[in-house]
Every structure is written in C-alpha cells, then in structure tokens.
Amino acid sequence: MVMAANLSFIRESEEPPGQDDDLLVSECLVTACCYDFVATAQEQQRMLRLDSALQLTAVIISPDKPRALAPLTSQWGDLQGRESTPPYARRPHYIQPAHTSLSPVSAEEEGRGSADELCMDLMNQFGL
C-alpha cells in the first residue's frame, strides 16, 4: 500500500516553492498524513482479513532533486494557527524512512500509537 501527499502545499502561499527554495514540511500535515495512512492500512487489513502484521514505512522525499527540507511548526498558544520554522531546526536534504508495524488485531489505540511513532520518527530528524 502506498499513500502520497504533496507536503509543499502551503495555504498562505499563492505559488509553489521555487527550485532552489527550501521545501517546507508542515508538522500538522505530516501528522495528518501519518494518521490517514495508518487508518487506511487498518481498514485494508480488516477488509482482507489478514492474519499477519503489516510493516508500514513512511518517508518524505523531494519530487525533483534532493534539496533542503525545512519544518513548519505552530507555536504553543498561537490561536491563529500560523506555522513557522524554528531557528534551531535542522534542514536535512534527505529524510530516513520511518517504520512501524500493525498487528492484525490492532485496536484504534494501537493505530494511534503507530501513527504517532511514524510522525515523531519523521519530525525528529528536523531536530524538533
């Protein structure tokens, strides 16, 4: 199963990032994608009545060439939901894949834990 999302889509910007710009990666969007990926995998697992664990892998890549990835995070207490890149954040050009597994009898709590694990493993590579 493969799930893809365009993480360069930024609501505040009218035009896509340029070829030499940092590729902005929204923490909120990564979290939502991880939760959707795990939920889709769980439903597929139930529909097919699989009796073995699923290995899930999540990765963030640049579509055209390796370039700096900059995380966008929201500040605690910012009620307007603005995201910015913290000054201490790393800007890696390549993100290592994150892995987790789902047992065939996984409940929603285990699915949430797997989604959190994927998201944290991805975002920790930015130094967050």
Side-chain angles (χ1 to χ4, degrees), residues 55-94:
Q55 175 74 29
L56 302 179
T57 303
V59 67
I60 298 172
I61 61 170
S62 175
D64 45 4
K65 64 177 182 173
R67 61 179 171 171
L69 302 167
L72 289 177
T73 61
S74 57
Q75 301 297 320
W76 188 84
D78 185 3
L79 300 177
Q80 296 180 358
R82 289 177 294 209
E83 294 182 313
S84 61
T85 301
Y88 56 84
R90 291 191 298 248
R91 289 175 170 79
H93 288 256
Y94 179 75

Side-chain angles (χ1 to χ4, degrees), residues 36-63:
D36 288 348
F37 181 46
V38 169
T40 303
Q42 279 183 315
E43 289 305 313
Q44 183 80 3
Q45 205 173 27
R46 290 177 186 137
M47 185 181 80
L48 296 176
R49 296 188 175 122
L50 298 178
D51 59 355
S52 60
L54 283 179
Q55 175 74 29
L56 302 179
T57 303
V59 67
I60 298 172
I61 61 170
S62 175

Side-chain angles (χ1 to χ4, degrees), residues 3 5 7 11 26-40 115-116 119 123:
M3 181 177 188
L7 297 178
R11 293 177 300 275
S26 169
E27 184 177 22
C28 294
L29 187 55
V30 170
T31 301
C33 289
C34 289
Y35 272 84
D36 288 348
F37 181 46
V38 169
T40 303
D116 286 336
C119 181
M123 296 310 293

